[in-house]
Amino acid sequence: MKKYLKFFTAMILCILLLFPSFAYAGEEVHTLTLEEALQLAYAHNPDLREADLEVEKAQILRNDAAKALDWIPTGGLIYPETQQIFNAYQQAEIGLSTAKKAQAAAKARVTQEVIAAYTNALKNYNTMESTRLQLQELENQKRIAGMSMGLGLLSEIDYQKLESNIKKAQEGYRAAQAAYEASIASLRYLLGQNQNWSPVLSSRAILDTYSRDELSVELSRGLTESVLVLQQKALLDIEESKKYWFIPNVSSDLKKVQLHMAEIDYEQAKRDAKSTIEQLYYGIDAAERQIEAAKSALAAAEKDLEIAKLKYEVGAISRYAMPGSESLSSAEVAAKTARMNLESFRADLAQMKAQFAFLTGKEPYDLKDWTVIE
């Protein structure tokens, strides 16, 4: 009986080693689309909950201030007490309007941050995978080089150079892994997930261009709609409304200074917004050109791969070869790398589009810019 038990145990171990997928058949791979990431962020982000509460608080303050204005006697505004009630109502109205704008801006900001974190993780994954493929190709070349050196077809110096390149590739791969893990950690934080949560990102950007208005039009919109400007504009509105208020123990000179400071802050916010929007505008132009170049490079790499396959079928080249020699494997790696480069450039454009839209008062997320891979 023990003999049979040992036999069956050994047989099961062999099956698991030969077919490892059997051992993990019950595991579920968790994929995450960008849409799912956004919904998780909306549900778990504390800033959004705080923004909702700020609107509720501002609404209550505005309603309470309005109740105090239900009855004002004729000429009542000449009395300081009545003027203060009216001032409080004015400020509550501005506060409510500002809170609602801040609420919308908070959601747009979270959307833009999630897209930035998601695309950054995608780019780091592509870098990691590209580095892994290059490392694997070098290791395959090393096996061929070892046999070639034994036959006297490769010098020891060339073999040592190959070993040195492999060590560099290994270090690059470890660095790429660390960068990818860091980007996943950043995404995990934004989505409110635990440290063991490590999804497979299944969305890919597919946009090649981003249609915009002329720079002057986009700047004009940004200076009135940008989140960078709106907050300072609200603070300026409050200071301007205080010019005619009666505020105990506050001189007119102090109110003028506070108003002037608010005006300076507002102008600085507009300058910052203009600079950021202008840089992004030209950055998007550059990203579009990079995508076109990457598409051409991918087309060339795929054509080279087709030729390599034909040569391999007729025995003109081998699957693996020494460094510098043509092989089917090197053509496959070049085509996969070109495809990942194009994906990364498209992710760059999607991230810049989201930031640009956020700063110019438009929706940062567009479903048509993305697709889901299996």
Side-chain angles (χ1 to χ4, degrees):
M1 185 69 180
K2 291 182 179 179
K3 181 178 179 181
Y4 287 114
L5 183 60
K6 289 181 180 179
F7 172 75
F8 285 119
T9 302
M11 201 166 86
I12 290 170
L13 287 172
C14 289
I15 291 173
L16 292 178
L17 289 171
L18 291 172
F19 307 100
S21 59
F22 290 168
Y24 302 100
E27 287 190 0
E28 180 182 355
V29 177
H30 176 65
T31 59
L32 180 75
T33 66
L34 177 57
E35 179 67 31
E36 291 168 342
L38 289 170
Q39 295 307 318
L40 283 172
Y42 297 154
H44 295 96
N45 191 279
D47 291 340
L48 292 182
R49 295 198 296 272
E50 184 178 0
D52 293 340
L53 291 173
E54 286 292 342
V55 171
E56 185 177 344
K57 173 185 173 182
Q59 186 70 58
I60 293 170
L61 291 173
R62 184 264 179 198
N63 292 342
D64 289 346
K67 290 176 183 177
L69 289 177
D70 283 347
W71 180 78
I72 295 179
T74 303
L77 289 179
I78 65 173
Y79 298 108
E81 297 81 1
T82 309
Q83 181 67 52
Q84 287 181 37
I85 293 174
F86 185 74
N87 294 346
Y89 174 75
Q90 272 189 313
Q91 191 162 0
E93 279 284 3
I94 296 173
L96 177 58
S97 176
T98 302
K100 288 181 177 179
K101 290 179 180 178
Q103 182 186 42
K107 184 175 182 180
R109 178 180 56 77
V110 169
T111 300
Q112 182 262 327
E113 289 176 349
V114 170
I115 292 174
Y118 196 98
T119 53
N120 188 46
L122 283 176
K123 291 185 293 181
N124 285 336
Y125 174 80
N126 285 341
T127 300
M128 180 181 70
E129 185 65 10
S130 176
T131 307
R132 184 190 67 80
L133 290 173
Q134 292 170 10
L135 174 59
Q136 186 178 17
E137 179 66 10
L138 287 171
E139 289 173 341
N140 289 328
Q141 290 176 356
K142 181 182 176 181
R143 284 194 287 270
I144 302 297
M147 292 185 289
S148 300
M149 190 172 66
L151 296 171
L153 301 175
L154 186 72
S155 69
E156 187 176 349
I157 294 177
D158 289 333
Y159 187 79
Q160 289 174 352
K161 286 181 180 178
L162 180 57
E163 285 187 322
S164 176
N165 290 336
I166 289 175
K167 288 181 181 179
K168 290 178 182 178
Q170 288 171 339
E171 292 172 0
Y173 180 57
R174 286 192 289 268
Q177 281 182 309
Y180 175 66
E181 290 299 330
S183 58
I184 288 294
S186 177
L187 183 62
R188 184 188 300 132
Y189 169 77
L190 281 174
L191 306 189
Q193 302 300 305
N194 62 58
Q195 62 181 3
N196 297 321
W197 183 80
S198 184
V200 175
L201 307 183
S202 57
S203 290
R204 295 293 184 274
I206 56 174
L207 74 167
D208 293 338
T209 59
Y210 175 30
S211 298
R212 292 149 288 147
D213 293 320
E214 293 292 328
L215 178 58
S216 59
V217 176
E218 296 290 358
L219 285 173
S220 177
R221 182 188 296 115
L223 295 181
T224 56
E225 300 294 335
S226 173
V227 177
L228 299 177
V229 176
L230 286 177
Q231 184 177 5
Q232 295 301 328
K233 181 64 167 65
L235 295 175
L236 176 60
D237 289 343
I238 290 174
E239 293 301 327
E240 286 182 336
S241 68
K242 289 180 180 179
K243 286 192 296 186
Y244 308 105
W245 293 7
F246 173 77
I247 304 176
N249 302 319
V250 176
S251 67
S252 59
D253 289 338
L254 179 57
K255 287 193 288 185
K256 287 179 182 178
V257 170
Q258 290 173 335
L259 175 59
H260 185 54
M261 291 174 64
E263 289 172 342
I264 293 174
D265 290 340
Y266 177 54
E267 289 302 319
Q268 184 61 49
K270 289 198 294 184
R271 290 180 62 184
D272 292 342
K274 181 179 179 182
S275 174
T276 304
I277 291 169
E278 192 167 357
Q279 289 179 41
L280 276 172
Y281 192 93
Y282 292 118
I284 289 170
D285 286 342
E288 291 174 341
R289 296 189 187 99
Q290 287 176 322
I291 288 172
E292 286 304 311
K295 287 166 68 177
S296 299
L298 175 59
E302 288 178 338
K303 188 171 184 62
D304 290 343
L305 177 58
E306 290 177 6
I307 295 172
K309 285 179 178 178
L310 292 174
K311 289 183 177 180
Y312 177 72
E313 289 174 0
V314 299
I317 62 173
S318 60
R319 178 158 188 81
Y320 304 109
M322 291 189 297
S325 301
E326 186 180 1
S327 68
L328 177 60
S329 178
S330 61
E332 289 174 340
V333 170
K336 290 177 181 177
T337 300
R339 190 174 299 109
M340 286 186 286
N341 286 341
L342 177 58
E343 282 185 1
S344 294
F345 285 130
R346 283 172 169 165
D348 266 331
L349 179 58
Q351 187 272 327
M352 284 190 282
K353 176 182 177 180
Q355 187 180 1
F356 189 86
F358 171 64
L359 293 175
T360 53
K362 292 178 282 190
E363 178 57 45
Y365 173 61
D366 188 346
L367 182 61
K368 298 190 296 296
D369 294 340
W370 297 86
T371 189
V372 177
I373 62 172
E374 296 298 333

